[in-house]
Amino acid sequence: MQPDLRLVPKPALHVSARLCGMVGLLRMNNDELSRHVSEMAARNPLLDFTPAGRGGQDAYDAPVVAAEDSLYAHVLSAISVAFDDPSQLRVAHAFAEALEPSGWLGQPVASIAEHAGVTVQQAEAVLTRLQDFEPTGLFARDLANCLRLQLIENGDWDEAAAAVIAHLGVMLEGGADALTDATGLAPGVVADKLAAIRACNPKPGAAFQRDDPSLRRRPDIIVRKEARGWQIELDRSTLPSFDLVRTGKAADPMLAKLRRDARWLVNAVRLRNQMTLDVARTVIGHQVGFLERGTLGLKPLRRRDVAERLGVHESTVGRVATGLLVQTPVQMLELTRFFSRALGRKRGRHASRRKLKTLLRDMIANEDPDSPLTDQALAGMLSRREAKVSRRTVAKYRQALGIKGAPARAGCRASIGATTNV
């Protein structure tokens, strides 16, 4: 049997290096873009590059405040009240920038002092005041320091507590008996100190609903309310400034290639910036109610909806939106927070899931504590007010909000906070 040799055409997508480069630019926030262009300029002498900046060497701006329920916003607010001296304020903000989501410092005090341009002794003096902030344990150097601050406040700190904390690591292998041997304390004393330690919060920063380290950088998009309406612009202070170096006709092939690469990068970054602005204006323009009324003004919006309006692929919208930060007049948040999936339908319109969660939380917060609303009753109220939802959906959202069922809520309405993150 003779082999059948035939050419069969098949569709294929050829992805060039420059197409990959363009996709990569779309995924970058302003800070990442600035670093990328800086690296390219270092390798290409035909790129005239000026780093993004907000002033001279002596200029100092307070950090941009993030969402009001974040750890970072909490400490910035407390710092603004606790410190009046500009030099101490600078050091306090340096400590705030070093905070981890746990509430501990992510850098040694010496490094923070160097970054702030002060001595270690000056930094220590500011840190002592910062560690008085609530909740106790914020700005701790490590776990041991965090527990120590809380034990001192609770009146449980003494030499025995110090010995137990210093040898906590031995419990991982040998348990309480090994801890007793390591400290030389009586078993009853060790048990008492362990009970006091267990009453402490090892991660006081985790009590805050939202905190994303990315929110500590400058925003990519600025949103302002003006007389002519909402204005949405790129934050130019975080974008690099660069252009082509003018030269004569390049006879050298290598110089010609450098010129082509430089020209492509200039054009690609301009396209990236325009696409970023188009996506941001489309998304935020659709969610003006969210800017004015919060979650209750949020409309359903999918990436597909934005892609159809702009005439691009859905994946392009996803690449651009992910990681972008938006500074509104009230708070800073991710652009992805403006998206919300639809649920239910009433009078020809859908409701967003996040809006339904907010309504559900408010209904429970305002219920009669002696006669809590059942999931079935809540489903009926939501269906009449906003969109048709089932009892099972209400139960799922209630559990996601950390709210107990009606029987467990009877007589304990105070346990339902009005700050639940949705």
Side-chain angles (χ1 to χ4, degrees):
M1 181 178 180
Q2 295 294 327
D4 185 12
L5 300 176
R6 291 179 295 175
L7 294 175
V8 179
K10 292 184 179 180
L13 176 64
H14 175 68
V15 181
S16 67
R18 290 193 171 179
L19 178 58
C20 290
M22 189 66 227
V23 170
L25 292 179
L26 290 175
R27 292 179 175 176
M28 295 179 185
N29 58 49
N30 288 3
D31 284 354
E32 293 168 340
L33 178 67
S34 184
R35 289 194 296 270
H36 176 72
V37 173
S38 176
E39 293 171 0
M40 295 297 101
R43 298 198 294 263
N44 193 329
L46 298 186
L47 278 172
D48 183 14
F49 172 72
T50 302
R54 292 178 288 149
Q57 184 177 0
D58 297 330
Y60 175 68
D61 294 328
V64 178
V65 176
E68 60 183 5
D69 54 358
S70 74
L71 169 62
Y72 195 52
H74 168 74
V75 298
L76 287 183
S77 177
I79 285 171
S80 67
V81 175
F83 296 91
D84 295 321
D85 183 82
S87 61
Q88 290 189 331
L89 195 61
R90 178 195 295 268
V91 179
H93 284 153
F95 275 109
E97 291 173 0
L99 269 187
E100 298 290 333
S102 62
W104 307 349
L105 293 174
Q107 303 174 27
V109 175
S111 298
I112 298 172
E114 182 180 0
H115 175 71
V118 297
T119 65
V120 174
Q121 290 74 17
Q122 291 172 318
E124 293 277 6
V126 172
L127 178 59
T128 299
R129 295 177 63 184
L130 292 174
Q131 290 182 342
D132 288 334
F133 287 2
E134 294 291 339
T136 304
L138 290 182
F139 294 98
R141 304 165 191 261
D142 50 30
L143 174 59
N145 188 214
C146 181
L147 296 176
R148 177 180 177 274
L149 292 170
Q150 295 178 60
L151 290 174
I152 290 174
E153 182 180 68
N154 297 336
D156 294 318
W157 181 255
D158 53 21
E159 292 183 2
V164 170
I165 289 179
H167 295 88
L168 277 178
V170 303
M171 286 190 62
L172 297 177
E173 297 181 359
D177 291 340
L179 184 59
T180 300
D181 294 338
T183 59
L185 300 172
V189 175
V190 171
D192 290 344
K193 295 307 174 184
L194 286 177
I197 290 172
R198 292 191 182 102
C200 297
N201 182 0
K203 296 183 179 180
F208 293 83
Q209 296 175 4
R210 291 188 55 79
D211 191 42
D212 185 343
S214 67
L215 293 178
R216 304 179 189 183
R217 62 178 175 84
R218 294 285 303 180
D220 306 290
I221 306 293
I222 303 292
V223 179
R224 297 185 179 91
K225 181 67 177 294
E226 299 180 359
R228 52 180 176 166
W230 289 97
Q231 303 302 310
I232 305 164
E233 303 292 343
L234 292 172
D235 185 356
R236 296 289 176 181
S237 70
T238 60
L239 288 173
S241 175
F242 67 104
D243 209 337
L244 291 174
V245 175
R246 297 186 180 277
T247 61
K249 186 174 181 180
D252 185 355
M254 180 59 69
L255 188 61
K257 181 180 183 304
L258 289 174
R259 176 181 290 174
R260 290 195 301 271
D261 292 344
R263 184 181 294 113
W264 175 86
L265 183 61
V266 170
N267 292 332
V269 170
R270 287 172 181 165
L271 289 174
R272 175 266 176 196
N273 291 345
Q274 187 60 52
M275 179 57 66
T276 298
L277 189 57
D278 289 345
V279 169
R281 285 177 171 171
T282 302
V283 172
I284 300 172
H286 180 81
Q287 299 290 19
V288 170
F290 182 40
L291 294 173
E292 297 176 343
R293 302 190 304 278
T295 307
L296 291 179
L298 192 66
K299 298 179 181 178
L301 182 65
R302 303 171 300 173
R303 289 170 174 79
R304 182 185 307 173
D305 302 328
V306 178
E308 290 176 353
R309 295 180 192 180
L310 294 178
V312 298
H313 195 272
E314 182 178 350
S315 63
T316 300
V317 175
R319 292 188 184 99
V320 172
T322 302
L324 288 186
L325 296 183
V326 179
Q327 180 68 62
T328 73
V330 190
Q331 61 181 340
M332 185 162 69
L333 66 166
E334 305 98 325
L335 183 62
T336 53
R337 291 282 300 280
F338 288 83
F339 291 93
S340 182
R341 297 181 62 183
L343 181 71
R345 187 178 182 89
K346 186 174 184 179
R347 292 190 292 274
R349 60 183 176 86
H350 291 280
S352 76
R353 295 190 177 191
R354 285 166 56 195
K355 180 178 181 179
L356 289 176
K357 286 184 179 181
T358 300
L359 290 173
L360 176 63
R361 180 202 64 194
D362 292 344
M363 288 176 179
I364 295 176
N366 294 309
E367 69 186 358
D368 183 353
D370 297 324
S371 181
L373 297 168
T374 64
D375 291 342
Q376 188 63 52
L378 290 166
M381 294 171 65
L382 284 173
S383 297
R384 290 190 296 273
R385 177 173 174 177
E386 193 64 30
K388 185 176 181 180
V389 294
S390 66
R391 181 196 61 78
R392 293 181 62 183
T393 298
V394 168
K396 180 177 69 174
Y397 284 178
R398 174 179 54 73
Q399 293 169 2
L401 291 169
I403 300 176
K404 299 177 181 179
R409 294 201 307 273
C412 60
R413 180 187 175 202
S415 65
I416 303 172
T419 58
T420 307
N421 180 34
V422 296

